[in-house]
Amino acid sequence: MQLSTVICNYNTRDKLARLLDSLLAIPGDLEHEIIVVDNASPDDSAAMVRERFPSVTLIASPENRWFSGGNNLGLRAARGDFALILNPDTVIPPDALQTLLAYLDTHPQVGAVTCRMVFADGRVQMNGSRLADYTDFLLSYTFLGALLPRWRDRRRAQMWYAGWDRGSTQPVEVAPGSFILARRALLDRIDYFDERLKLFFTDDDLCRKLLATGAAIHYVADVTILHDEHASLEQVPRLTRRVYFEDLLAYSRKYHGALAAGLLAILLVPTRLVMRIKERRV
């Protein structure tokens, strides 16, 4: 098996159907399995896959295992030499996967790739970044950023490769979890996603582990896909914000230690309080 595509779905039935139509329309002789992991969606996504896409492997989880746990279910079932981690709110053009697989074949030092992504109106998404560190968290999420705006903005520009319009291929440190095509042997080696992180910083953590193996991660601009960003998350904004901060602290604890995570938690209190007040006014 050349490629396994793993799609973790929660409550995006129509977008998932659109994506599966695009994947099944790919021409050529690509040896390709498609695995959908449904995280107990209440919108009958699993039933739709069973009825409309019988060739797709469906793993219907009885509970919501979040992004990391759901993708891990699919990756552990995958048989391909390469694995594509793909969001259900994407659409894949006919030649995209073959182009990226050929790129990996001719760049053996590259362990994973992502690609150019656009919104429905054609605007380019600024995906692909450097790894954030503890200083970036302090400046981005606490009052320290307001006190030191020039330092904060300079750090952000560095992290997001300011000046790069995503029109050229280059190495990156973080590929977005919405589209990561990786060598499955490497994913096996790093034990996939860390399930202590539910939704956020999952791609940062995965890419950090991939880079630690010595493999490179590349953004390949020759391929463009459609991505309706955050289709699942927009349905539950308050839960999403709560989980965001939980994952931020879990990621900080993992890489910067308990004391640093504890300090960050204290400094986040005003930020979270302001957000709650804004939520009540909406």
Side-chain angles (χ1 to χ4, degrees):
M1 181 69 65
Q2 187 176 9
L3 175 65
S4 300
T5 293
V6 175
I7 305 160
C8 180
N9 175 74
Y10 179 73
N11 218 37
T12 57
R13 179 187 60 198
D14 294 341
K15 293 185 185 297
L16 174 61
R18 180 187 63 175
L19 169 60
L20 293 175
D21 281 332
S22 73
L23 289 172
L24 292 171
I26 292 174
D29 57 356
L30 176 64
E31 193 179 11
H32 182 200
E33 65 174 354
I34 303 170
I35 301 170
V36 171
V37 180
D38 185 69
N39 266 333
S41 298
D43 68 349
D44 294 325
S45 289
M48 181 276 294
V49 174
R50 288 192 191 97
E51 293 168 10
R52 290 185 52 186
F53 302 98
S55 64
V56 170
T57 300
L58 173 67
I59 301 175
S61 174
E63 61 181 353
N64 187 349
R65 296 174 60 93
W66 301 93
F67 178 86
S68 53
N71 273 300
N72 282 351
L73 284 177
L75 290 168
R76 291 189 177 106
R79 298 172 294 149
D81 295 328
F82 299 89
L84 171 61
I85 300 157
L86 185 62
N87 270 15
D89 55 3
T90 55
V91 178
I92 308 302
D95 60 346
L97 301 186
Q98 289 96 328
T99 299
L100 292 171
L101 289 168
Y103 186 92
L104 285 166
D105 281 341
T106 56
H107 296 78
Q109 81 283 7
V110 177
V113 295
T114 189
C115 64
R116 188 171 179 267
M117 300 185 195
V118 297
F119 294 103
D121 61 6
R123 286 178 298 126
V124 177
Q125 296 177 15
M126 296 293 105
N127 60 292
S129 67
R130 289 189 172 92
L131 288 161
D133 64 18
Y134 187 70
T135 300
D136 296 309
F137 294 155
L138 293 175
L139 292 172
S140 295
Y141 303 114
T142 78
F143 63 86
L144 294 177
L147 295 176
L148 302 164
R150 290 185 180 178
W151 191 18
R152 176 199 62 201
D153 294 344
R154 184 166 63 249
R155 298 279 301 198
R156 285 180 179 173
Q158 291 170 351
M159 186 169 68
W160 290 102
Y161 299 106
W164 176 39
D165 64 359
R166 272 60 179 181
S168 58
T169 295
Q170 73 166 49
V172 295
E173 292 182 345
V174 180
S178 47
F179 190 108
I180 302 175
L181 175 59
R183 301 180 192 276
R184 191 168 64 84
L186 278 180
L187 294 174
D188 292 344
R189 180 175 166 185
I190 65 173
D191 199 26
Y192 317 113
F193 288 99
D194 184 340
E195 295 187 27
R196 291 173 293 183
L197 305 168
K198 295 177 179 177
L199 277 171
F200 301 99
F201 304 97
T202 52
D203 42 13
D204 297 71
D205 180 71
L206 185 82
C207 290
R208 186 184 286 268
K209 294 191 294 183
L210 284 171
L211 292 170
T213 70
I217 300 170
H218 282 192
Y219 173 104
V220 180
D222 295 335
V223 169
T224 301
I225 69 166
L226 173 67
H227 180 211
D228 293 332
E229 196 172 20
H230 300 153
S232 292
L233 304 184
E234 290 172 354
Q235 301 175 52
V236 283
R238 293 187 182 183
L239 174 61
T240 297
R241 280 190 282 274
R242 176 173 64 79
V243 173
Y244 187 92
F245 287 113
E246 290 174 355
D247 285 349
L248 169 62
L249 292 173
Y251 184 85
S252 298
R253 191 176 304 112
K254 179 175 180 178
Y255 289 106
H256 306 296
L259 288 176
L263 174 60
L264 180 59
I266 293 170
L267 294 175
L268 283 171
V269 170
T271 303
R272 301 181 74 170
L273 180 60
V274 169
M275 293 183 72
R276 285 175 188 168
I277 292 171
K278 290 181 178 178
E279 285 174 357
R280 289 171 183 170
R281 291 177 177 172
V282 173

